[in-house]
Amino acid sequence: MNKEQYIARVLHGVEWRFDKDVAISYAPSNIALSKYWGKRNKPLNLPITDSISVSLDTLGAATSLKMSRESKDIVILNDIDISQDDNFYKRAVQYLDLFRPGEDYFFHLDTTSTVPVGAGLASSACGFASIALALNELFSWNLPLVELSKLARLGSGSASRSLWHGFVHWQSGNDIDGRDCYADKIESSWPELSVGILLLDASQKKYSSTEAMNITVRSSKLFKKWPEVCTRTNAGILNAIHEKDFMSLARFSEESAIAMHATMLDSEPSIDYSLPGTHKAIEKVKQLRQDGVEVFFTQDAGPNIKLIFTEKYQEQVTEVFPNIKAVKPFSR
Ligand code: PMV
């Protein structure tokens, strides 16, 4: 099944309306506590395992989408009219192509992102989730968020988790065509939780997450163990969220991040997203925890570190990491 057939199935029986001038949406970025790493179907971004994330509140993408007045697609990112040669333009238009109502229909997409693009901070997750939300609004599809997560996923896998605030569980499913692969909100709140972003380097990375995960799946021997790790970490994280057991959340989340990077290091070519500053920051987190501070780290496809900590330890964490940008995922 290709993307077009998949979309036709999701949108089967859905009425398209063209009476809205413009659609406005917002999607928060998210960070995975247990990671999505490896696709069982590349065009459909069907993952090998489940993953669990927490959304980043005000760090995300605000999008406005309308029909273009010019006979070409217009893509504006952070107030800049993006050139057709730009990677961001290409990815956005390739995605919009999937939903173009006719050959002579062109889109005007205007996105403002509060996360640095391409730095392993899930800028594509909130970007594609906000576009999926805007399409739903513009054409009045009235799709439930769970169904929209299937469409957002086609832009970027982790985008399927960016349609909600709070904790989100993305189910890998078993169906070969991804009928049972979707994300959904975990009905649980943890108001004391904070997420701090430690930006060490915001430049574009050498390997995109898709390239890196495909190399890993193809060549890492360690990767054979990855599904087993995910079964354990997903169950542990769900339980920790349910019990509000911070230390258990820390243990399973760190295990997921460390194991993911281990599979990458083990691949051919070996992929190492970390910088010296990444390792130093991780050591500081471990030291803080030894000193009794409730904090843990996670790292995605980039050198930056995300710190998860509880309100009570805000001062100790910001004393050691004065430059973090902290958000409260359960502030609303
Ligand atoms: O959604 P993608 O294709 O950018 O992949 C995201 C991969 C990680 O950020 C490393 C892990 C995750 O689950 O978000």
Side-chain angles (χ1 to χ4, degrees), residues 86-326:
D86 193 283
N87 236 356
F88 185 88
Y89 184 98
K90 289 183 197 151
R91 273 190 87 185
V93 168
Q94 262 169 25
Y95 186 68
L96 290 170
D97 270 342
L98 299 166
F99 305 97
R100 202 179 292 284
E103 270 177 23
D104 53 353
Y105 189 109
F106 295 98
F107 288 100
H108 182 287
L109 173 76
D110 188 341
T111 293
T112 304
S113 172
T114 48
V115 290
V117 175
L121 286 175
S123 58
S124 60
C126 55
F128 285 110
S130 73
I131 297 175
L133 284 165
L135 285 162
N136 186 48
E137 178 71 21
L138 187 65
F139 299 130
S140 306
W141 294 333
N142 288 320
L143 283 178
L145 292 179
V146 163
E147 288 301 294
L148 271 186
S149 78
K150 298 178 178 174
L151 300 184
R153 192 191 73 229
L154 300 176
S156 159
S158 53
S160 66
R161 299 186 309 237
S162 262
L163 295 162
W164 298 266
H165 287 282
F167 295 119
V168 177
H169 185 175
W170 175 16
Q171 319 261 357
S172 64
N174 297 309
D175 181 52
I176 191 155
D177 292 327
R179 281 184 182 78
D180 52 358
C181 176
Y182 58 84
D184 203 356
K185 187 176 171 61
I186 298 174
E187 290 301 343
S188 179
S189 173
W190 198 329
E192 301 81 19
L193 227 53
S194 285
V195 180
I197 312 291
L198 181 65
L199 198 59
L200 296 162
D201 181 7
S203 54
Q204 295 280 336
K205 51 214 181 186
K206 190 169 163 201
Y207 295 100
S208 71
S209 41
T210 289
E211 283 164 348
M213 70 176 86
N214 291 345
I215 292 172
T216 308
V217 174
R218 196 171 62 226
S219 63
S220 162
K221 291 183 195 70
L222 254 190
F223 189 77
K224 289 188 183 52
K225 287 271 170 204
W226 176 246
E228 198 183 303
V229 171
C230 292
T231 305
R232 185 174 54 247
T233 55
N234 280 314
I237 288 169
L238 282 177
N239 192 52
I241 289 172
H242 184 70
E243 303 280 332
K244 287 219 176 75
D245 177 348
F246 186 87
M247 282 311 179
S248 185
L249 187 70
R251 183 159 69 89
F252 289 110
S253 301
E254 286 191 357
E255 179 182 351
S256 178
I258 291 167
M260 177 183 76
H261 286 279
T263 65
M264 280 187 244
L265 285 169
D266 182 51
S267 70
E268 176 57 46
S270 176
I271 298 170
D272 187 356
Y273 281 115
S274 300
L275 293 172
T278 313
H279 297 297
K280 276 189 205 139
I282 291 174
E283 286 313 310
K284 284 185 190 169
V285 173
K286 287 184 186 161
Q287 187 57 54
L288 272 170
R289 211 162 50 230
Q290 264 181 17
D291 297 343
V293 175
E294 288 189 345
V295 59
F296 70 88
F297 73 91
T298 191
Q299 180 189 358
D300 294 290
N304 304 305
I305 290 292
K306 292 91 179 191
L307 304 176
I308 294 89
F309 53 96
T310 46
E311 203 167 64
K312 201 168 145 197
Y313 298 99
Q314 167 113 21
E315 224 179 282
Q316 283 100 315
V317 172
T318 45
E319 207 177 290
V320 175
F321 296 103
N323 296 328
I324 53 167
K325 163 104 186 108

